Amino acid sequence: MRIKLGLIMAIVLLVLASLPINIHAANYGWGFKKGTDHQPPKVGKYEGILEEYGGYYLDKSGAKEIYLTFDNGYEQGYTSKFLDVLNDKKVPTTFFVTGHFVDKNEDLIRRMVNEGHIVGNHTYHHPDLTTVSKDRMKKELNSLQEAVATISDQKTMQYLRPPKGTFSPQSIQMASELGYIHVFWSLAFVDWNIDSQKGWKQAHQQVMNQIHPGAIILLHTVSKDNAEALEYLIDDLRKQGYVFKSLDHLVMKDMIPKSIFGM
């Protein structure tokens, strides 16, 4: 009996050993515990995942440099106003766009590029990247990049914001192998509901309450409140000593000796 039981167990172990095991099975939705007194948020175990597999949510240098980013899934008529303010205030930013936005708003894409902003990849069809194969991910990212390259002077992309902030260690690693850097955020609020806008002062206060050195700020361009608050945000943040930088600057800081940046 013992011999039979041992044989059965050995067979089971051999079968299990032959099965493909996904060590990156856990999927997550980006989120954090907001900081207090203008300190960065706490992201828990996500910190270690980004350190191991690559990605940003914050400039950890402690410098009073901040990074404006926008998500553009569709157009609500306000993006031109955002661009007007950014151009007037000389603030660089990154617009993470989908295929739908590119197809419907070619002029806005060209304007973003011509005015010195970065167009980031938010995928073409907005799928959950934790559920797709590497080939599907590649098609999503390449299709969006090609759509932007066809209508503007920006021919390549390197920054990716995953749809809905959903990620896994495996999805970050696959994107990295395809040449992309995941960019999450350290400051955001509920601003995407176009039927629940509460006035620009509330949007302004949300950012001012949460601001911290190194913040990557996520705003949605469908928000009327954000469009009206932006110029006041830029002016008031500058009064507090903050400087607006591009994501390229953030990545370069990690690649170049800190002494060059005066740190």
Side-chain angles (χ1 to χ4, degrees):
M1 183 68 178
R2 290 181 179 177
I3 294 176
K4 289 184 178 180
L5 181 59
L7 182 60
I8 291 172
M9 290 180 65
I11 292 172
V12 169
L13 289 173
L14 285 171
V15 171
L16 290 175
S18 67
L19 293 174
I21 300 176
N22 183 2
I23 61 172
H24 307 297
N27 299 337
Y28 306 104
W30 183 256
F32 47 74
K33 181 180 179 181
K34 293 179 181 178
T36 58
D37 297 323
H38 302 292
Q39 295 300 307
K42 304 295 184 183
V43 300
K45 63 184 176 183
Y46 297 164
E47 185 97 38
I49 293 173
L50 293 188
E51 287 179 357
E52 181 173 359
Y53 295 97
Y56 291 87
Y57 74 97
L58 176 74
D59 175 353
K60 300 178 183 178
S61 70
K64 294 191 77 170
E65 296 175 342
I66 50 180
Y67 307 83
L68 264 182
T69 70
F70 298 92
D71 282 5
N72 296 69
Y74 62 98
E75 176 59 13
Q76 195 64 23
Y78 303 119
T79 303
S80 290
K81 181 173 176 59
F82 282 98
L83 287 167
D84 288 343
V85 173
L86 294 167
N87 188 51
D88 181 59
K89 303 292 185 180
K90 302 295 185 269
V91 172
T93 190
T94 300
F95 292 92
F96 287 95
V97 303
T98 63
H100 174 80
F101 187 90
V102 176
D103 292 342
K104 300 293 184 181
N105 301 281
E106 294 184 2
D107 289 345
L108 289 175
I109 294 294
R110 280 191 287 269
R111 186 177 171 192
M112 291 171 187
V113 174
N114 292 341
E115 294 181 4
H117 303 294
I118 297 169
V119 179
N121 206 317
H122 203 36
T123 73
Y124 199 91
H125 296 102
H126 208 256
D128 179 347
L129 292 181
T130 67
T131 66
V132 303
S133 67
K134 187 175 181 180
D135 284 343
R136 169 74 189 284
M137 179 186 287
K138 183 177 181 180
K139 289 177 181 178
E140 282 288 334
L141 302 180
N142 283 353
S143 294
L144 196 285
Q145 177 177 268
E146 290 167 5
V148 171
T150 298
I151 62 173
S152 77
D153 290 334
Q154 180 178 307
K155 303 306 178 185
T156 61
M157 290 183 166
Q158 70 175 120
Y159 302 116
L160 167 63
R161 177 160 287 158
K164 299 181 180 179
T166 304
F167 71 100
S168 68
Q170 184 181 39
S171 68
I172 295 179
Q173 184 176 29
M174 289 193 304
S176 178
E177 291 168 355
L178 294 171
Y180 279 87
I181 299 169
H182 267 64
V183 179
F184 294 97
W185 56 90
S186 63
L187 193 164
F189 58 97
V190 178
D191 63 347
W192 59 85
N193 188 344
I194 62 175
D195 296 321
S196 184
Q197 299 293 292
K198 301 177 181 179
W200 73 264
K201 290 184 179 180
Q202 180 155 330
H204 173 275
Q205 199 60 46
Q206 286 276 2
V207 175
M208 299 306 292
N209 287 346
Q210 296 183 58
I211 196 63
H212 53 268
I216 296 179
I217 303 171
L218 163 60
L219 298 175
H220 288 82
T221 58
V222 295
S223 167
K224 179 176 182 288
D225 292 350
N226 289 347
E228 294 177 351
L230 185 60
E231 60 181 306
Y232 302 105
L233 281 172
I234 293 170
D235 289 345
D236 290 345
L237 289 169
R238 281 175 167 164
K239 287 176 184 176
Q240 291 191 8
Y242 287 99
V243 179
F244 292 89
K245 296 290 186 177
S246 73
L247 291 179
D248 285 346
H249 173 83
L250 174 56
V251 173
M252 287 294 289
K253 286 173 71 168
D254 279 351
M255 299 173 61
I256 296 176
K258 293 183 179 180
S259 59
I260 295 178
F261 285 91
M263 298 166 57

